[in-house]
Amino acid sequence: IALSVVFDLTRIIQAALANANPSRQTLRYLKDTLELLAGQILGIRLGSQLSRPQIVDELIELILKERAAARKAGDYAKADALRSELQRLGISIKDTPKGTLWTIT
């Protein structure tokens, strides 16, 4: 669930940057919130060296690792829930013999 919140927040930030002229205070608040969720809670290091697409890629890969671990442990309900959440966010995944492939739709 925390990952879906990070994705939702990322979409909010992208929409704010594309469609509005947010104040510096608003941008700082959104950035701090994203860093708290991604960095301190999920352990994803965010920094100026990563662009938005790289951050999204890393988050998707993290979710897919969690899904693979759930499948390996036989927790198919969790694996299915992660797949459903990715689909809700516009991310299609396909399991292949060589691993899971994903695309943003």
Side-chain angles (χ1 to χ4, degrees), residues 35 53 92 96:
E35 286 177 347
S92 298
T96 71

Side-chain angles (χ1 to χ4, degrees), residues 38-52:
Q40 294 180 17
I41 295 173
L42 297 173
I44 300 169
R45 195 178 109 159
L46 302 177
S48 60
Q49 75 277 8
L50 295 177
S51 67
R52 277 184 273 167

Side-chain angles (χ1 to χ4, degrees), residues 3-104:
L3 287 173
S4 67
V5 172
V6 170
F7 274 110
D8 290 343
L9 182 58
T10 301
R11 286 180 188 244
I12 290 168
I13 292 169
Q14 289 174 341
L17 292 173
N19 301 323
N21 189 12
S23 69
R24 291 178 68 77
Q25 181 180 5
T26 299
L27 290 174
R28 187 175 306 114
Y29 173 77
L30 291 171
K31 178 183 173 282
D32 291 347
T33 302
L34 182 61
E35 286 177 347
L36 171 69
L37 287 172
Q40 294 180 17
I41 295 173
L42 297 173
I44 300 169
R45 195 178 109 159
L46 302 177
S48 60
Q49 75 277 8
L50 295 177
S51 67
R52 277 184 273 167
Q54 288 173 311
I55 291 169
V56 171
D57 288 355
E58 286 191 19
L59 290 172
I60 292 169
E61 292 296 329
L62 179 64
I63 293 169
L64 292 175
K65 284 180 186 176
E66 286 297 313
R67 181 175 172 269
R71 290 176 70 196
K72 186 175 181 178
D75 189 352
Y76 299 107
K78 180 178 178 181
D80 290 345
L82 290 170
R83 175 189 280 273
S84 295
E85 189 64 21
L86 287 169
Q87 287 174 336
R88 185 187 74 78
L89 295 168
I91 300 161
S92 298
I93 62 172
K94 180 178 180 178
D95 295 314
T96 71
K98 294 183 178 181
T100 303
L101 305 175
W102 60 270
T103 56
I104 297 176

